[in-house]
């Protein structure tokens, strides 16, 4: 079983990328996967919710802006269902096969968005998470932190309609950001907080140095 912050030597790592919508997660995940592949390090990209057939169906429900009546605890349980399916079907098998996993969100997103954002009982969420996932967590988590106003301006530059969570209020996203920072303070050995408001090349340079520090410095 892989626990938060557990040292695993030369074994593959489970790396998650977290942050509020508009913080640059997708760009960082793209960069990390490409960087690993260029060094011939086997890796698997996943997203939460999603990746598996079950997870993608849950994603279509959870992020559908027309779904106005989802109860907050129903939302939590659907996210946990996606995480459980993904852990058992994709992430654990990949790690056992010697493959790194780079995740666009995982369990911390539920604590930040539904715990802090929705104001639900954090202890209850974590208890259910722990029971279902048996303590399964990423080895390392990159938290892309930036002011909500900066993230909002980036989202406004995107095409398409905002999803159900992106369309939440500024106050909601402020709470989510504070939730992420609280989680990072609680687990400093697992979290690395990056200033995502800096120019992109600086953020990616920091990500690269982080990957190199994880023992991935093999050259093509």
């Amino acid at each position: 079983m892989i626990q938060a912050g557990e040292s695993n030597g030369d074994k593959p790592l489970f790396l998650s990328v977290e942050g509020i919508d508009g913080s640059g997660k997708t760009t960082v995940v793209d960069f990390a996967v490409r960087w690993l592949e260029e060094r011939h390090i086997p890796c698997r990209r996943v997203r939460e919710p999603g990746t598996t057939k079950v997870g993608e169906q849950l994603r279509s429900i959870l992020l559908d802006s027309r779904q106005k009546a989802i109860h907050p605890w129903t939302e939590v349980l659907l996210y946990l269902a996606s995480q459980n399916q993904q852990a058992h079907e994709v992430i654990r098998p990949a790690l056992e096969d010697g493959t790194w996993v780079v995740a666009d969100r995982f369990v911390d997103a539920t604590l930040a968005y539904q715990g802090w954002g929705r104001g639900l009982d954090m202890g209850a969420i974590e208890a259910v998470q722990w029971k279902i996932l048996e303590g399964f967590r990423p080895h390392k988590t990159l938290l892309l932190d930036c002011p909500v106003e900066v993230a909002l301006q980036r989202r406004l530059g995107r095409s398409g309609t905002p999803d159900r969570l992106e369309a939440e209020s500024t106050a909601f996203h402020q709470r989510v950001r504070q939730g992420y920072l609280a989680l990072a303070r609680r687990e400093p050995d697992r979290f690395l907080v990056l200033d995502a408001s800096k120019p992109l090349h600086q953020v990616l340079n920091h990500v690269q140095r982080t990957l190199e520090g994880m023992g991935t410095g093999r050259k093509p």
Side-chain angles (χ1 to χ4, degrees):
M1 182 185 303
I2 299 168
Q3 304 288 349
E6 179 183 345
S7 174
N8 67 343
D10 295 328
K11 293 181 181 179
L13 292 180
F14 175 20
L15 173 68
S16 64
V17 182
E18 296 279 359
I20 60 175
D21 294 293
S23 61
K25 290 182 298 75
T26 301
T27 300
V28 167
V29 171
D30 287 343
F31 175 84
V33 169
R34 184 171 63 252
W35 197 88
L36 291 166
E37 289 176 341
E38 288 173 350
R39 282 150 183 78
H40 305 294
I41 298 171
C43 65
R44 175 70 188 270
R45 174 179 181 156
V46 300
R47 66 177 182 175
E48 168 55 33
T51 308
T52 67
K53 289 184 178 179
V54 170
E56 290 297 331
Q57 291 180 23
L58 292 172
R59 184 182 184 89
S60 68
I61 295 170
L62 285 163
L63 300 185
D64 188 344
S65 59
R66 297 168 298 179
Q67 296 285 357
K68 306 293 186 183
I70 298 179
H71 188 278
W73 275 107
T74 301
E75 188 177 62
V76 169
L77 295 173
L78 291 177
Y79 275 112
L80 293 182
S82 175
Q83 292 158 22
N84 184 60
Q85 187 69 26
Q86 188 165 185
H88 285 281
E89 185 178 332
V90 178
I91 302 175
R92 287 181 185 270
L95 294 171
E96 291 169 1
D97 193 43
T99 299
W100 280 56
V101 177
V102 181
D104 187 337
R105 299 195 193 284
F106 199 59
V107 291
D108 300 295
T110 305
L111 297 172
Y113 275 82
Q114 282 69 51
W116 282 76
R118 301 282 189 223
L120 300 181
D121 185 328
M122 291 282 289
I125 295 175
E126 289 187 294
V128 178
Q129 273 188 339
W130 192 267
K131 178 67 175 179
I132 292 174
L133 296 171
E134 300 175 312
F136 187 73
R137 291 288 189 276
H139 291 102
K140 294 294 181 182
T141 297
L142 301 182
L143 173 57
L144 305 181
D145 178 57
C146 68
V148 172
E149 295 75 17
V150 172
L152 176 59
Q153 288 301 313
R154 292 173 178 172
R155 297 202 306 272
L156 291 175
R158 298 175 181 171
S159 59
T161 304
D163 66 37
R164 198 170 64 87
L165 290 181
E166 289 174 341
E168 287 285 352
S169 68
T170 298
F172 174 85
H173 290 287
Q174 293 280 14
R175 294 194 298 273
V176 173
R177 182 193 182 195
Q178 293 307 312
Y180 271 129
L181 292 172
L183 292 171
R185 288 192 296 270
R186 191 177 70 175
E187 293 188 65
D189 291 336
R190 175 163 69 93
F191 277 85
L192 176 64
V193 182
L194 305 182
D195 183 352
S197 67
K198 290 184 177 180
L200 179 60
H201 74 276
Q202 292 185 24
V203 176
L204 296 183
N205 283 342
H206 200 163
V207 173
Q208 178 174 323
R209 291 196 301 272
T210 300
L211 291 169
E212 290 171 345
M214 293 178 182
T216 61
R218 283 181 277 174
K219 301 299 181 183

